[in-house]
Amino acid sequence: MPTLRLERDLLAGGAPVVLACDEVGRGALAGPVTVGIVVIDATVKRMPAGLRDSKLLPEPKRELLAPRAASWVLGSSVGEASADEIDRLGIMACLGLAGARAFAALGVDRGLVAGAPLLLDGNYDWLSQSIEHRAQVITRIKADRDCASVSAASVIAKVHRDRGMRRAHDETPLYHWHENKGYSSAAHFAAIAEHGPSALHRHTWLHDRSPEPAPSLFDLEVG
């Protein structure tokens, strides 16, 4: 279960706010990579009941939690980089691009976030350069599991991306995106083999890829 232990330590140490960031869609074959950012301050209340890393929640639970997570934090935003941008620039550059777009969209006082600590899930800082080091990025492995603010960013980003993939399925129902959300599955690869890739596919990712097992009930995909 995530806690606010680290966030409260940072706030107690003098930070006016703490930002938290997570990405989803990094390993998908189709669709954007999506980054969520949230901001909390010392007035943050107990986290919403049931909040977890988005990968540990079934889709209906995530849908219920996303608006609660967004209203729980001081501010939140989502940024994306498209499949075409991923093909042209590479996934690491697009993580930064999506993160920069999310950072720019934060609806909070710029003076508050300037130089503030930002918790980033993982062990590699792909964000600082893209946001011109305007926050103090702190990488932490399993932050999406252990830090409630990062869990909130994860859920908000995941629900945003999944809704986009369901809309894409409604427009092009050949690839089962309402089920696989653009990730590898036998049905997804079979559809690509039959119909060819779409504009939403990451074309540079389709070479030397093999089908993976279909997502489980809890949709435990990477990213």
Side-chain angles (χ1 to χ4, degrees):
M1 180 181 298
T3 71
L4 284 166
R5 186 175 298 113
L6 178 56
E7 294 94 325
R8 292 198 186 281
D9 285 346
L10 292 168
L11 291 166
V17 296
V18 171
L19 296 89
C21 180
D22 198 18
E23 56 79 17
V24 297
R26 181 174 181 169
L29 297 177
V33 64
T34 304
V35 171
I37 298 181
V38 304
V39 184
I40 62 170
D41 63 8
T43 67
V44 67
K45 306 299 183 183
R46 181 179 297 180
M47 71 180 189
L51 181 64
R52 300 288 188 277
D53 169 18
S54 65
K55 295 187 292 298
L56 302 179
L57 296 168
E59 187 169 342
K61 185 68 171 178
R62 290 194 299 260
E63 287 282 344
L64 289 173
L65 274 170
R68 297 176 191 172
S71 62
W72 171 63
V73 299
L74 184 65
S76 65
S77 61
V78 174
E80 293 189 321
S82 69
D84 177 67
E85 287 173 323
I86 293 169
D87 279 338
R88 290 188 288 108
L89 304 174
I91 187 61
M92 297 310 296
C94 284
L95 284 171
L97 181 60
R101 288 168 176 167
F103 190 87
L106 276 176
V108 296
D109 185 346
R110 289 291 173 190
L112 281 177
V113 302
L118 187 154
L119 300 175
L120 178 64
D121 180 55
N123 61 0
Y124 177 71
D125 177 6
W126 42 261
L127 184 59
S128 287
Q129 185 173 355
S130 296
I131 61 172
E132 299 175 339
H133 299 271
R134 286 180 288 173
Q136 176 193 346
V137 173
I138 302 169
T139 59
R140 188 179 180 95
I141 296 173
K142 299 296 184 184
D144 53 358
R145 180 197 65 187
D146 298 334
C147 300
S149 61
V150 185
S151 296
S154 173
V155 169
I156 291 168
K158 176 65 173 163
V159 169
H160 179 92
R161 186 182 186 278
D162 281 0
R163 289 175 179 174
M165 294 306 294
R166 289 197 298 271
R167 289 192 297 271
H169 170 79
D170 291 341
E171 297 171 2
T172 310
L174 301 173
Y175 303 96
H176 310 279
W177 287 327
H178 64 308
E179 296 175 344
N180 60 52
K181 307 302 188 296
Y183 286 85
S184 301
S185 71
H188 193 176
F189 275 101
I192 294 170
E194 180 177 358
H195 304 289
S198 72
L200 200 63
H201 280 98
R202 304 173 188 180
H203 292 243
T204 56
W205 288 48
L206 296 179
H207 305 291
D208 301 321
R209 297 265 175 161
S210 58
E212 298 173 1
S216 72
L217 174 64
F218 295 102
D219 204 16
L220 297 176
E221 72 272 5
V222 176

